[in-house]
Amino acid sequence: MRPDDISVLNTLRDVLGFHNARQRVIAENVANANTPGYTPSDISQSQFERVLAGQARNAAGLRVTDARHFGGADAGVSGQLRPERTPDSETTANGNSVVIEEQMVRANENRMRFESALSLYQKSLNLIRLASRPPGG
């Protein structure tokens, strides 16, 4: 059995992909904090949950064989997530609506969730390694 065959590891890998994609979006927001007219984006947890639920329905092992097909087993979660414009609480005179403090809170929350998922993934792998050892070894 390969680690890809274990649904818990697949789900945790998808969670890590979501948080990785979200961190990239938050970093882009911070990088554009002084860009006139820039509106920050974010990837919502509910969007991730919808994509994950769609993958669960498609768990029959369907594969994408044509670029015009909808995502099957080959389409990862992070490839299906799309950032949505989410203005922060303030807009400056130049039209920029990035509030650095709000973005830092999002980044920190996202980092903590990523680290929690990573820890669960590592512990799951350690349990599999422990279970695969011969008795007394």
Side-chain angles (χ1 to χ4, degrees):
M1 179 185 332
R2 299 181 346 215
D4 294 345
D5 297 334
I6 301 170
S7 63
V8 170
L9 293 180
N10 285 336
T11 302
L12 286 170
R13 191 171 31 252
D14 289 341
V15 169
L16 291 170
F18 161 68
H19 289 299
N20 185 38
R22 186 166 186 236
Q23 194 69 26
R24 277 195 307 270
V25 171
I26 293 168
E28 183 178 315
N29 293 340
V30 171
N32 287 292
N34 293 322
T35 304
Y38 185 81
T39 302
S41 300
D42 201 357
I43 302 173
S44 68
Q45 182 78 24
S46 61
Q47 181 187 20
F48 168 67
E49 290 168 358
R50 283 191 307 271
V51 170
L52 200 58
Q55 278 195 342
R57 285 191 303 271
N58 197 18
L62 301 177
R63 300 275 178 208
V64 176
T65 58
D66 188 293
R68 295 170 291 182
H69 290 171
F70 290 108
D74 290 338
V77 167
S78 59
Q80 298 177 41
L81 299 173
R82 301 286 176 250
E84 301 167 350
R85 297 282 177 205
T86 54
D88 286 344
S89 60
E90 301 174 7
T91 301
T92 59
N94 69 2
N96 186 303
S97 59
V98 175
V99 177
I100 294 291
E101 292 82 5
E102 290 180 28
Q103 294 298 317
M104 292 295 104
V105 168
R106 287 181 188 167
N108 193 39
E109 173 188 288
N110 191 60
R111 179 190 56 82
M112 289 188 304
R113 290 183 180 194
F114 179 90
E115 288 175 356
S116 296
L118 182 60
S119 177
L120 286 171
Y121 189 85
Q122 291 170 334
K123 288 177 190 268
S124 297
L125 286 177
N126 286 338
L127 283 172
I128 292 169
R129 287 184 192 116
L130 181 66
S132 65
R133 289 186 188 152

